[in-house]
Amino acid sequence: MLLKTPVEVYWILTDRCNLKCNFCLSESDSAPRTQELTAAQRERVLHDLIEAKVLKVYLTGGEPLLIPETVDYVRRLRAHNVFTVLTTNGVLLDGQSIGHLADCGLNRLQVSIHGSTPAMNDEIMGGPAFDAIMKNLDAISKSGLDLHIKITATRENIEDLPRLLERLGAFGPS
C-alpha cells in the first residue's frame, strides 16, 4: 500500500525561544529573525498540511508559543481531524491558553522540565522556568489535556532524575 500523504510532520514554527537550555540546538532568544517564515508563509504551510491530509502534526520550535497564531493553528488543524501535538517549554502557558488549547481539541501537550528543584531546572533551561512549569503542569493535568512531560538527561541532571520523576508522579495517571 502506497500512502499519498505524509503520516506525520514536525513543523518548527520558530527557532526563537524565551529560554536558553544548555543542550538546545535552536537559536535561543526571542528576537525576530529575517529568515523566519512570515505569518502569510506560515498560513500557506498550514493550508498545504490540511490539503495534503497529513495525519499528525507536531507544532514545535524553539518555543512555538512565541508565534501569536499557534493556538489558531491548533484549532484549524483539529477542525480538519489532524492529530495535533504542541511541544512547549511550558513557561508561556497560563490558565487561559491551556483552556483555549483544550477547547480547540489539542490531542497532546508536551511540556519540558529538566530538574526537581528551581535551581537545577532553571540552570539547565537558562532562565526562570521551574515555578511557572510546575504551576502549568497542575493546570494542564486538571484540564483533561493529554500531558506528556519531556525530560532531557544531561550531565547536570542525571543524578537528579529519580527525584524529578518522583516529583512529577503527581501529574501521572491516577
Side-chain angles (χ1 to χ4, degrees):
M1 180 171 115
L2 182 62
L3 292 175
K4 296 182 186 208
T5 184
V7 174
E8 45 182 47
V9 170
Y10 286 77
W11 184 8
I12 300 171
L13 293 174
T14 182
D15 279 339
R16 294 179 290 135
C17 190
N18 55 312
L19 296 174
K20 296 180 184 294
C21 295
N22 64 14
F23 56 82
C24 188
L25 300 175
S26 290
E27 298 290 330
S28 294
D29 64 47
S30 57
R33 303 245 190 319
T34 55
Q35 72 274 19
E36 188 167 278
L37 295 179
T38 65
Q41 290 168 322
R42 287 192 308 271
E43 187 66 30
R44 179 65 191 178
V45 170
L46 180 68
H47 172 79
D48 289 349
L49 292 170
I50 291 168
E51 285 296 307
K53 297 186 183 335
V54 172
L55 300 176
K56 187 177 199 178
V57 173
Y58 290 82
L59 301 173
T60 186
E63 175 49 57
L65 293 174
L66 288 172
I67 300 298
E69 301 87 2
T70 297
V71 174
D72 183 54
Y73 296 160
V74 170
R75 180 187 58 75
R76 292 167 63 198
L77 288 165
R78 290 301 302 133
H80 288 90
N81 297 314
V82 178
F83 189 98
T84 306
V85 180
L86 175 64
T87 300
T88 176
N89 61 37
V91 173
L92 299 178
L93 291 168
D94 59 25
Q96 183 177 10
S97 61
I98 292 166
H100 288 318
L101 290 168
D103 292 344
C104 291
L106 180 68
N107 295 99
R108 182 173 302 139
L109 184 56
Q110 296 180 332
V111 178
S112 300
I113 191 165
H114 308 292
S116 69
T117 65
M120 169 71 68
N121 184 76
D122 295 356
E123 180 178 329
I124 292 170
M125 293 185 87
F130 184 85
D131 292 336
I133 293 168
M134 292 301 287
K135 177 181 173 189
N136 288 326
L137 288 176
D138 186 53
I140 294 163
S141 66
K142 292 175 181 171
S143 75
L145 283 167
D146 180 20
L147 171 63
H148 285 209
I149 299 173
K150 295 178 67 172
I151 302 167
T152 300
T154 67
R155 282 185 218 113
E156 295 87 2
N157 71 358
I158 194 73
E159 299 297 325
D160 184 57
L161 292 181
R163 288 181 294 282
L164 177 57
L165 293 173
E166 183 178 325
R167 187 160 198 174
L168 295 174
F171 304 110
S174 46

